[in-house]
Amino acid sequence: MKKDNSEIEDDLRSEYDLKSLKVRKFGSERKSFSQTTVRLEPDVAKVFPNAEAVNEALRFLIRVTQENQVNELTQKPQTLLEKPNEST
């Protein structure tokens, strides 16, 4: 038969607040609560000493790609009938 006690008896002190604790798993199943984790292949990881270097390289690549897209959109397309500018 179950007892119907609304209060659970325990040996914890009243100043311990267990409601604020978070459970975190270890290993590959571990959840990240504040950051996204990206796994680099070993050959790529050899090139970068830390996460900051990876982020800097990716930001540079994004900037170059965006600039090239803007340049392609602003250049006048050359038609087949036009001859390229030839300097004589």
Side-chain angles (χ1 to χ4, degrees):
M1 214 167 131
K2 271 188 170 178
K3 291 183 180 180
D4 190 17
N5 290 343
S6 60
E7 286 189 31
I8 298 175
E9 295 179 23
D10 58 25
D11 295 334
L12 293 176
R13 294 181 181 176
S14 61
E15 62 264 21
Y16 293 149
D17 181 17
L18 300 180
K19 293 177 184 175
S20 65
L21 294 178
K22 294 181 181 179
V23 176
R24 298 189 80 169
K25 294 182 181 179
F26 294 105
S28 60
E29 297 88 28
R30 180 177 177 174
K31 287 187 179 180
S32 177
F33 292 100
S34 63
Q35 298 177 350
T36 301
T37 302
V38 177
R39 185 176 301 211
L40 300 177
E41 294 293 326
D43 60 323
V44 176
K46 286 180 186 176
V47 177
F48 298 101
N50 54 35
E52 186 177 331
V54 173
N55 288 327
E56 183 180 338
L58 289 173
R59 286 186 186 107
F60 176 76
L61 181 61
I62 291 168
R63 230 180 7 256
V64 168
T65 303
Q66 289 174 343
E67 288 172 6
N68 284 342
Q69 288 175 350
V70 169
N71 288 340
E72 288 176 6
L73 293 174
T74 58
Q75 289 177 351
K76 179 182 173 186
Q78 186 176 2
T79 64
L80 295 175
L81 299 176
E82 293 177 359
K83 292 183 181 177
N85 291 340
E86 295 176 8
S87 57
T88 47

